[in-house]
Amino acid sequence: MTVPVLNVFTMDPTTYAITSARMFFYIPADLQGSAPTPNDDSVYIENMAEQIAYSRALGGNNPSKERWTKYFTNLYRALEMDGITVDTTTFATAGFTRPYFGRQRQEAMYFAPLQ
């Protein structure tokens, strides 16, 4: 399994339309102090603080929008049943692909708890 490509989405709290999307790539620990400087203004290095996230794996390749919605809804309901309140205006997805096996992709989704 490889380190995931993380996609973070922010939604409007009233319409739930996506208002921003960002993609993150992990820089291995031994290279973090010497990462190359991006040469495009839309690419930048950001340090993420340690955080708690609740996730659910989807599995398979390229899940449909309906499948993403179903899994996010199920995750939200499971957390709600456990009394956990999450930020529903921000969510993330992660894609994992084994090296040399591009068709064996795994997907996961994440919610962060309200701070």
Side-chain angles (χ1 to χ4, degrees), residues 37-54:
T37 303
N39 58 12
D40 182 319
D41 291 341
S42 66
V43 176
Y44 53 92
I45 295 174
E46 179 176 325
N47 292 318
M48 297 178 85
E50 186 175 317
Q51 55 188 303
I52 294 172
Y54 299 101

mmCIF file with all atom_site columns, all heavy atoms in Angstrom, residues 37-54:
data_model
loop_
_atom_site.group_PDB
_atom_site.id
_atom_site.type_symbol
_atom_site.label_atom_id
_atom_site.label_alt_id
_atom_site.label_comp_id
_atom_site.label_asym_id
_atom_site.label_entity_id
_atom_site.label_seq_id
_atom_site.pdbx_PDB_ins_code
_atom_site.Cartn_x
_atom_site.Cartn_y
_atom_site.Cartn_z
_atom_site.occupancy
_atom_site.B_iso_or_equiv
_atom_site.pdbx_formal_charge
_atom_site.auth_seq_id
_atom_site.auth_comp_id
_atom_site.auth_asym_id
_atom_site.auth_atom_id
_atom_site.pdbx_PDB_model_num
ATOM 1   N N   . THR A 1 37 ? 11.548  23.462 -3.702  1.00 0.00 ? 37 THR A N   1
ATOM 2   C CA  . THR A 1 37 ? 10.644  24.613 -3.687  1.00 0.00 ? 37 THR A CA  1
ATOM 3   C C   . THR A 1 37 ? 9.771   24.564 -4.931  1.00 0.00 ? 37 THR A C   1
ATOM 4   O O   . THR A 1 37 ? 10.296  24.460 -6.047  1.00 0.00 ? 37 THR A O   1
ATOM 5   C CB  . THR A 1 37 ? 11.452  25.923 -3.657  1.00 0.00 ? 37 THR A CB  1
ATOM 6   O OG1 . THR A 1 37 ? 12.298  25.889 -2.509  1.00 0.00 ? 37 THR A OG1 1
ATOM 7   C CG2 . THR A 1 37 ? 10.534  27.130 -3.601  1.00 0.00 ? 37 THR A CG2 1
ATOM 8   N N   . PRO A 1 38 ? 8.471   24.630 -4.780  1.00 0.00 ? 38 PRO A N   1
ATOM 9   C CA  . PRO A 1 38 ? 7.591   24.615 -5.964  1.00 0.00 ? 38 PRO A CA  1
ATOM 10  C C   . PRO A 1 38 ? 7.878   25.828 -6.860  1.00 0.00 ? 38 PRO A C   1
ATOM 11  O O   . PRO A 1 38 ? 8.211   26.912 -6.379  1.00 0.00 ? 38 PRO A O   1
ATOM 12  C CB  . PRO A 1 38 ? 6.182   24.715 -5.362  1.00 0.00 ? 38 PRO A CB  1
ATOM 13  C CG  . PRO A 1 38 ? 6.334   24.257 -3.953  1.00 0.00 ? 38 PRO A CG  1
ATOM 14  C CD  . PRO A 1 38 ? 7.713   24.672 -3.534  1.00 0.00 ? 38 PRO A CD  1
ATOM 15  N N   . ASN A 1 39 ? 7.746   25.640 -8.160  1.00 0.00 ? 39 ASN A N   1
ATOM 16  C CA  . ASN A 1 39 ? 7.963   26.745 -9.093  1.00 0.00 ? 39 ASN A CA  1
ATOM 17  C C   . ASN A 1 39 ? 6.664   27.233 -9.713  1.00 0.00 ? 39 ASN A C   1
ATOM 18  O O   . ASN A 1 39 ? 6.678   27.956 -10.698 1.00 0.00 ? 39 ASN A O   1
ATOM 19  C CB  . ASN A 1 39 ? 8.979   26.366 -10.169 1.00 0.00 ? 39 ASN A CB  1
ATOM 20  C CG  . ASN A 1 39 ? 8.564   25.140 -10.953 1.00 0.00 ? 39 ASN A CG  1
ATOM 21  O OD1 . ASN A 1 39 ? 7.428   24.688 -10.861 1.00 0.00 ? 39 ASN A OD1 1
ATOM 22  N ND2 . ASN A 1 39 ? 9.495   24.598 -11.705 1.00 0.00 ? 39 ASN A ND2 1
ATOM 23  N N   . ASP A 1 40 ? 5.549   26.854 -9.127  1.00 0.00 ? 40 ASP A N   1
ATOM 24  C CA  . ASP A 1 40 ? 4.227   27.300 -9.578  1.00 0.00 ? 40 ASP A CA  1
ATOM 25  C C   . ASP A 1 40 ? 3.507   27.861 -8.359  1.00 0.00 ? 40 ASP A C   1
ATOM 26  O O   . ASP A 1 40 ? 3.482   27.221 -7.303  1.00 0.00 ? 40 ASP A O   1
ATOM 27  C CB  . ASP A 1 40 ? 3.471   26.094 -10.142 1.00 0.00 ? 40 ASP A CB  1
ATOM 28  C CG  . ASP A 1 40 ? 2.095   26.433 -10.691 1.00 0.00 ? 40 ASP A CG  1
ATOM 29  O OD1 . ASP A 1 40 ? 1.375   27.237 -10.056 1.00 0.00 ? 40 ASP A OD1 1
ATOM 30  O OD2 . ASP A 1 40 ? 1.727   25.881 -11.731 1.00 0.00 ? 40 ASP A OD2 1
ATOM 31  N N   . ASP A 1 41 ? 2.932   29.064 -8.492  1.00 0.00 ? 41 ASP A N   1
ATOM 32  C CA  . ASP A 1 41 ? 2.273   29.713 -7.353  1.00 0.00 ? 41 ASP A CA  1
ATOM 33  C C   . ASP A 1 41 ? 1.083   28.937 -6.803  1.00 0.00 ? 41 ASP A C   1
ATOM 34  O O   . ASP A 1 41 ? 0.689   29.129 -5.657  1.00 0.00 ? 41 ASP A O   1
ATOM 35  C CB  . ASP A 1 41 ? 1.817   31.129 -7.730  1.00 0.00 ? 41 ASP A CB  1
ATOM 36  C CG  . ASP A 1 41 ? 2.989   32.070 -7.928  1.00 0.00 ? 41 ASP A CG  1
ATOM 37  O OD1 . ASP A 1 41 ? 4.091   31.761 -7.436  1.00 0.00 ? 41 ASP A OD1 1
ATOM 38  O OD2 . ASP A 1 41 ? 2.794   33.124 -8.572  1.00 0.00 ? 41 ASP A OD2 1
ATOM 39  N N   . SER A 1 42 ? 0.503   28.041 -7.606  1.00 0.00 ? 42 SER A N   1
ATOM 40  C CA  . SER A 1 42 ? -0.648  27.280 -7.120  1.00 0.00 ? 42 SER A CA  1
ATOM 41  C C   . SER A 1 42 ? -0.216  26.035 -6.342  1.00 0.00 ? 42 SER A C   1
ATOM 42  O O   . SER A 1 42 ? -1.048  25.338 -5.790  1.00 0.00 ? 42 SER A O   1
ATOM 43  C CB  . SER A 1 42 ? -1.553  26.885 -8.286  1.00 0.00 ? 42 SER A CB  1
ATOM 44  O OG  . SER A 1 42 ? -0.891  25.973 -9.140  1.00 0.00 ? 42 SER A OG  1
ATOM 45  N N   . VAL A 1 43 ? 1.079   25.773 -6.286  1.00 0.00 ? 43 VAL A N   1
ATOM 46  C CA  . VAL A 1 43 ? 1.616   24.635 -5.542  1.00 0.00 ? 43 VAL A CA  1
ATOM 47  C C   . VAL A 1 43 ? 2.419   25.180 -4.372  1.00 0.00 ? 43 VAL A C   1
ATOM 48  O O   . VAL A 1 43 ? 3.243   26.070 -4.524  1.00 0.00 ? 43 VAL A O   1
ATOM 49  C CB  . VAL A 1 43 ? 2.534   23.771 -6.440  1.00 0.00 ? 43 VAL A CB  1
ATOM 50  C CG1 . VAL A 1 43 ? 3.164   22.636 -5.644  1.00 0.00 ? 43 VAL A CG1 1
ATOM 51  C CG2 . VAL A 1 43 ? 1.764   23.235 -7.630  1.00 0.00 ? 43 VAL A CG2 1
ATOM 52  N N   . TYR A 1 44 ? 2.156   24.652 -3.191  1.00 0.00 ? 44 TYR A N   1
ATOM 53  C CA  . TYR A 1 44 ? 2.878   25.114 -2.015  1.00 0.00 ? 44 TYR A CA  1
ATOM 54  C C   . TYR A 1 44 ? 2.990   23.977 -1.012  1.00 0.00 ? 44 TYR A C   1
ATOM 55  O O   . TYR A 1 44 ? 2.262   22.996 -1.075  1.00 0.00 ? 44 TYR A O   1
ATOM 56  C CB  . TYR A 1 44 ? 2.192   26.331 -1.372  1.00 0.00 ? 44 TYR A CB  1
ATOM 57  C CG  . TYR A 1 44 ? 0.731   26.128 -1.064  1.00 0.00 ? 44 TYR A CG  1
ATOM 58  C CD1 . TYR A 1 44 ? 0.319   25.654 0.170   1.00 0.00 ? 44 TYR A CD1 1
ATOM 59  C CD2 . TYR A 1 44 ? -0.249  26.392 -2.021  1.00 0.00 ? 44 TYR A CD2 1
ATOM 60  C CE1 . TYR A 1 44 ? -1.021  25.450 0.454   1.00 0.00 ? 44 TYR A CE1 1
ATOM 61  C CE2 . TYR A 1 44 ? -1.587  26.195 -1.743  1.00 0.00 ? 44 TYR A CE2 1
ATOM 62  C CZ  . TYR A 1 44 ? -1.972  25.731 -0.508  1.00 0.00 ? 44 TYR A CZ  1
ATOM 63  O OH  . TYR A 1 44 ? -3.299  25.524 -0.233  1.00 0.00 ? 44 TYR A OH  1
ATOM 64  N N   . ILE A 1 45 ? 3.943   24.132 -0.114  1.00 0.00 ? 45 ILE A N   1
ATOM 65  C CA  . ILE A 1 45 ? 4.158   23.126 0.927   1.00 0.00 ? 45 ILE A CA  1
ATOM 66  C C   . ILE A 1 45 ? 3.441   23.591 2.182   1.00 0.00 ? 45 ILE A C   1
ATOM 67  O O   . ILE A 1 45 ? 3.581   24.733 2.608   1.00 0.00 ? 45 ILE A O   1
ATOM 68  C CB  . ILE A 1 45 ? 5.665   22.923 1.185   1.00 0.00 ? 45 ILE A CB  1
ATOM 69  C CG1 . ILE A 1 45 ? 6.310   22.346 -0.083  1.00 0.00 ? 45 ILE A CG1 1
ATOM 70  C CG2 . ILE A 1 45 ? 5.882   22.007 2.386   1.00 0.00 ? 45 ILE A CG2 1
ATOM 71  C CD1 . ILE A 1 45 ? 7.807   22.230 -0.031  1.00 0.00 ? 45 ILE A CD1 1
ATOM 72  N N   . GLU A 1 46 ? 2.632   22.691 2.729   1.00 0.00 ? 46 GLU A N   1
ATOM 73  C CA  . GLU A 1 46 ? 1.853   23.008 3.926   1.00 0.00 ? 46 GLU A CA  1
ATOM 74  C C   . GLU A 1 46 ? 2.086   21.921 4.965   1.00 0.00 ? 46 GLU A C   1
ATOM 75  O O   . GLU A 1 46 ? 2.012   20.738 4.650   1.00 0.00 ? 46 GLU A O   1
ATOM 76  C CB  . GLU A 1 46 ? 0.368   23.079 3.565   1.00 0.00 ? 46 GLU A CB  1
ATOM 77  C CG  . GLU A 1 46 ? -0.533  23.385 4.730   1.00 0.00 ? 46 GLU A CG  1
ATOM 78  C CD  . GLU A 1 46 ? -1.988  23.536 4.304   1.00 0.00 ? 46 GLU A CD  1
ATOM 79  O OE1 . GLU A 1 46 ? -2.253  24.045 3.203   1.00 0.00 ? 46 GLU A OE1 1
ATOM 80  O OE2 . GLU A 1 46 ? -2.849  23.120 5.091   1.00 0.00 ? 46 GLU A OE2 1
ATOM 81  N N   . ASN A 1 47 ? 2.376   22.327 6.176   1.00 0.00 ? 47 ASN A N   1
ATOM 82  C CA  . ASN A 1 47 ? 2.500   21.373 7.276   1.00 0.00 ? 47 ASN A CA  1
ATOM 83  C C   . ASN A 1 47 ? 1.133   21.199 7.910   1.00 0.00 ? 47 ASN A C   1
ATOM 84  O O   . ASN A 1 47 ? 0.487   22.180 8.251   1.00 0.00 ? 47 ASN A O   1
ATOM 85  C CB  . ASN A 1 47 ? 3.493   21.886 8.325   1.00 0.00 ? 47 ASN A CB  1
ATOM 86  C CG  . ASN A 1 47 ? 4.899   21.896 7.789   1.00 0.00 ? 47 ASN A CG  1
ATOM 87  O OD1 . ASN A 1 47 ? 5.313   20.971 7.118   1.00 0.00 ? 47 ASN A OD1 1
ATOM 88  N ND2 . ASN A 1 47 ? 5.632   22.955 8.064   1.00 0.00 ? 47 ASN A ND2 1
ATOM 89  N N   . MET A 1 48 ? 0.722   19.962 8.050   1.00 0.00 ? 48 MET A N   1
ATOM 90  C CA  . MET A 1 48 ? -0.573  19.678 8.658   1.00 0.00 ? 48 MET A CA  1
ATOM 91  C C   . MET A 1 48 ? -0.358  19.255 10.101  1.00 0.00 ? 48 MET A C   1
ATOM 92  O O   . MET A 1 48 ? 0.497   18.419 10.386  1.00 0.00 ? 48 MET A O   1
ATOM 93  C CB  . MET A 1 48 ? -1.306  18.590 7.888   1.00 0.00 ? 48 MET A CB  1
ATOM 94  C CG  . MET A 1 48 ? -1.641  18.979 6.474   1.00 0.00 ? 48 MET A CG  1
ATOM 95  S SD  . MET A 1 48 ? -2.456  17.652 5.583   1.00 0.00 ? 48 MET A SD  1
ATOM 96  C CE  . MET A 1 48 ? -4.138  17.940 6.100   1.00 0.00 ? 48 MET A CE  1
ATOM 97  N N   . ALA A 1 49 ? -1.141  19.818 10.980  1.00 0.00 ? 49 ALA A N   1
ATOM 98  C CA  . ALA A 1 49 ? -1.065  19.448 12.392  1.00 0.00 ? 49 ALA A CA  1
ATOM 99  C C   . ALA A 1 49 ? -1.654  18.054 12.583  1.00 0.00 ? 49 ALA A C   1
ATOM 100 O O   . ALA A 1 49 ? -2.492  17.597 11.803  1.00 0.00 ? 49 ALA A O   1
ATOM 101 C CB  . ALA A 1 49 ? -1.839  20.454 13.241  1.00 0.00 ? 49 ALA A CB  1
ATOM 102 N N   . GLU A 1 50 ? -1.223  17.409 13.633  1.00 0.00 ? 50 GLU A N   1
ATOM 103 C CA  . GLU A 1 50 ? -1.804  16.115 13.984  1.00 0.00 ? 50 GLU A CA  1
ATOM 104 C C   . GLU A 1 50 ? -3.285  16.324 14.245  1.00 0.00 ? 50 GLU A C   1
ATOM 105 O O   . GLU A 1 50 ? -3.685  17.327 14.829  1.00 0.00 ? 50 GLU A O   1
ATOM 106 C CB  . GLU A 1 50 ? -1.116  15.579 15.237  1.00 0.00 ? 50 GLU A CB  1
ATOM 107 C CG  . GLU A 1 50 ? -1.532  14.187 15.597  1.00 0.00 ? 50 GLU A CG  1
ATOM 108 C CD  . GLU A 1 50 ? -0.740  13.645 16.769  1.00 0.00 ? 50 GLU A CD  1
ATOM 109 O OE1 . GLU A 1 50 ? 0.484   13.839 16.810  1.00 0.00 ? 50 GLU A OE1 1
ATOM 110 O OE2 . GLU A 1 50 ? -1.366  13.023 17.641  1.00 0.00 ? 50 GLU A OE2 1
ATOM 111 N N   . GLN A 1 51 ? -4.108  15.383 13.797  1.00 0.00 ? 51 GLN A N   1
ATOM 112 C CA  . GLN A 1 51 ? -5.544  15.540 13.965  1.00 0.00 ? 51 GLN A CA  1
ATOM 113 C C   . GLN A 1 51 ? -6.230  14.195 14.080  1.00 0.00 ? 51 GLN A C   1
ATOM 114 O O   . GLN A 1 51 ? -5.667  13.169 13.728  1.00 0.00 ? 51 GLN A O   1
ATOM 115 C CB  . GLN A 1 51 ? -6.124  16.338 12.800  1.00 0.00 ? 51 GLN A CB  1
ATOM 116 C CG  . GLN A 1 51 ? -5.815  15.751 11.431  1.00 0.00 ? 51 GLN A CG  1
ATOM 117 C CD  . GLN A 1 51 ? -6.225  16.661 10.313  1.00 0.00 ? 51 GLN A CD  1
ATOM 118 O OE1 . GLN A 1 51 ? -7.387  17.037 10.215  1.00 0.00 ? 51 GLN A OE1 1
ATOM 119 N NE2 . GLN A 1 51 ? -5.294  17.027 9.469   1.00 0.00 ? 51 GLN A NE2 1
ATOM 120 N N   . ILE A 1 52 ? -7.440  14.224 14.561  1.00 0.00 ? 52 ILE A N   1
ATOM 121 C CA  . ILE A 1 52 ? -8.282  13.034 14.636  1.00 0.00 ? 52 ILE A CA  1
ATOM 122 C C   . ILE A 1 52 ? -9.182  13.047 13.405  1.00 0.00 ? 52 ILE A C   1
ATOM 123 O O   . ILE A 1 52 ? -9.721  14.089 13.035  1.00 0.00 ? 52 ILE A O   1
ATOM 124 C CB  . ILE A 1 52 ? -9.146  13.048 15.912  1.00 0.00 ? 52 ILE A CB  1
ATOM 125 C CG1 . ILE A 1 52 ? -8.249  12.938 17.142  1.00 0.00 ? 52 ILE A CG1 1
ATOM 126 C CG2 . ILE A 1 52 ? -10.179 11.930 15.878  1.00 0.00 ? 52 ILE A CG2 1
ATOM 127 C CD1 . ILE A 1 52 ? -8.981  13.137 18.452  1.00 0.00 ? 52 ILE A CD1 1
ATOM 128 N N   . ALA A 1 53 ? -9.352  11.895 12.789  1.00 0.00 ? 53 ALA A N   1
ATOM 129 C CA  . ALA A 1 53 ? -10.255 11.787 11.647  1.00 0.00 ? 53 ALA A CA  1
ATOM 130 C C   . ALA A 1 53 ? -10.989 10.452 11.751  1.00 0.00 ? 53 ALA A C   1
ATOM 131 O O   . ALA A 1 53 ? -10.439 9.455  12.220  1.00 0.00 ? 53 ALA A O   1
ATOM 132 C CB  . ALA A 1 53 ? -9.485  11.861 10.343  1.00 0.00 ? 53 ALA A CB  1
ATOM 133 N N   . TYR A 1 54 ? -12.235 10.447 11.341  1.00 0.00 ? 54 TYR A N   1
ATOM 134 C CA  . TYR A 1 54 ? -13.044 9.232  11.315  1.00 0.00 ? 54 TYR A CA  1
ATOM 135 C C   . TYR A 1 54 ? -13.165 8.811  9.861   1.00 0.00 ? 54 TYR A C   1
ATOM 136 O O   . TYR A 1 54 ? -13.517 9.615  9.005   1.00 0.00 ? 54 TYR A O   1
ATOM 137 C CB  . TYR A 1 54 ? -14.418 9.491  11.919  1.00 0.00 ? 54 TYR A CB  1
ATOM 138 C CG  . TYR A 1 54 ? -14.320 9.933  13.363  1.00 0.00 ? 54 TYR A CG  1
ATOM 139 C CD1 . TYR A 1 54 ? -14.435 11.277 13.704  1.00 0.00 ? 54 TYR A CD1 1
ATOM 140 C CD2 . TYR A 1 54 ? -14.083 9.008  14.379  1.00 0.00 ? 54 TYR A CD2 1
ATOM 141 C CE1 . TYR A 1 54 ? -14.333 11.688 15.026  1.00 0.00 ? 54 TYR A CE1 1
ATOM 142 C CE2 . TYR A 1 54 ? -13.981 9.416  15.698  1.00 0.00 ? 54 TYR A CE2 1
ATOM 143 C CZ  . TYR A 1 54 ? -14.099 10.754 16.012  1.00 0.00 ? 54 TYR A CZ  1
ATOM 144 O OH  . TYR A 1 54 ? -13.993 11.151 17.316  1.00 0.00 ? 54 TYR A OH  1
#
